[in-house]
Amino acid sequence: MTKAAGFDEGARQAVYRAIRERRDVRRGFLPEPMPDDLLDRLLEAAHNAPSVGLMQPWRFIVIRDIGVRETIHKIFVDANQEALAGYAGERQQTYAGLKLEGILEAPQNLCIVCDSQSHQGHELGRRTMPETALYSAVCAVQNLWLAARAEGIGVGWVSILEPNQLRHALKIPQHITPVAYLCLGYVDAFATEPDLERAGWEKRAPLKSVLAFDRYDSNWDAERPTP
Ligand SMILES: Cc1cc2nc3c(=O)[nH]c(=O)nc-3n(C[C@H](O)[C@H](O)[C@H](O)COP(=O)(O)O)c2cc1C
């Protein structure tokens, strides 16, 4: 039996490097806009994602207009104030110091939405798990995020947005789900650690703590930390 070949060593290392060095970027965006061909490559990478039944349920809304970005930023500010109010004490103080978006600094934003009702794919795989339409859209986000890192483009995901307000701002119909609001652009640097780790908000868990074989590990429930 022949075995299909993997990539050569350099290409293989590059893939793992993009995965390892991808960061969520909220600061350090440069004002220089991305050339169209670069944005096209990133969108093409997203559009190459796997999807349930080959449904390709993602839709991409590129946002450059400063007026639209200001509207979205206001939606963020309101949602972020509400989030802040949900914490207390030291946790609240730490939260207040976090930078959680780059909507105005990044010259282009991208909203990836999902049409979970699209008939493309003829419902294959969705009868049992309808949520797989959304999972497919998330795969598109990750493809774009990794390609962007390889291109030297920072990407920051902003989920602190009230979905109906976001829908209203971007004229997204009710049956469409906003999946990811992303800030994209050239950056001055990529951090080596997640921002939330550096800010003392959370630590990354080691792989072995989330790995089991043949059955669910009940210790995962016992070890659930207090929020
Ligand atoms: C679904 C999703 C939503 C996220 N929403 C936000 C957000 O609203 N604001 C933010 O600063 N980071 C957000 N992030 C980024 C995470 O905080 C980040 O991925 C995590 O801390 C790990 O850091 P890293 O991506 O640099 O490895 C989000 C990430 C994901 C996957």
Side-chain angles (χ1 to χ4, degrees):
M1 285 274 265
T2 55
K3 232 192 249 170
F7 293 171
D8 64 50
E9 179 62 17
R12 207 162 50 231
Q13 289 305 326
V15 170
Y16 288 117
R17 183 180 168 202
I19 292 168
R20 208 172 42 244
E21 298 186 13
R22 179 210 52 77
R23 284 275 79 77
D24 185 87
V25 180
R26 311 91 188 256
R27 63 185 85 239
F29 284 108
L30 308 182
E32 185 188 336
M34 245 194 277
D36 284 344
D37 59 333
L38 174 45
L39 181 60
D40 283 350
R41 285 199 296 279
L42 299 185
L43 293 171
E44 201 64 55
H47 193 55
N48 269 310
S51 61
V52 63
L54 193 50
M55 183 191 187
Q56 299 180 291
W58 45 74
R59 310 286 180 258
F60 305 115
I61 307 171
V62 177
I63 301 142
R64 291 185 169 128
D65 185 278
I66 186 66
V68 179
R69 284 191 282 138
E70 278 167 356
T71 303
I72 307 286
H73 186 254
K74 210 179 152 307
I75 296 171
F76 164 80
V77 170
D78 291 348
N80 201 40
Q81 264 168 10
E82 229 177 272
L84 177 67
Y87 295 108
E90 213 177 300
R91 180 64 61 185
Q92 188 179 53
Q93 269 180 15
T94 311
Y95 187 90
L98 299 174
K99 170 95 167 82
L100 295 170
E101 53 74 43
I103 297 165
L104 298 177
E105 298 96 313
Q108 45 283 296
N109 294 181
L110 174 69
C111 186
I112 301 186
V113 300
C114 178
D115 182 356
S116 297
Q117 294 168 17
S118 165
H119 290 299
Q120 184 176 332
H122 308 283
E123 283 78 38
L124 188 153
R126 278 187 283 147
R127 292 178 200 277
T128 37
M129 290 198 182
E131 62 275 23
T132 47
L134 289 171
Y135 299 164
S136 304
V138 175
C139 290
V141 179
Q142 180 73 344
N143 266 14
L144 179 136
W145 213 339
L146 293 173
R149 179 61 190 90
E151 297 272 12
I153 296 296
V155 174
W157 187 327
V158 189
S159 55
I160 306 163
L161 298 167
E162 203 287 309
N164 278 326
Q165 290 180 18
L166 181 61
R167 277 197 184 90
H168 183 74
L170 299 179
K171 315 238 180 304
I172 300 167
Q174 198 61 37
H175 68 280
I176 299 291
T177 309
V179 171
Y181 192 89
L182 306 173
C183 306
L184 283 88
Y186 291 109
V187 284
D188 56 8
F190 286 92
T192 51
E193 309 295 319
D195 232 44
L196 292 185
E197 206 163 55
R198 285 192 305 167
W201 181 262
E202 188 54 281
K203 287 194 289 284
R204 278 177 287 186
L207 171 62
K208 66 173 169 38
S209 72
V210 295
L211 178 66
F213 294 92
D214 302 324
R215 67 182 61 192
Y216 186 85
D217 185 343
S218 54
N219 286 324
W220 289 333
D221 297 331
E223 287 166 9
R224 185 171 292 156
T226 46

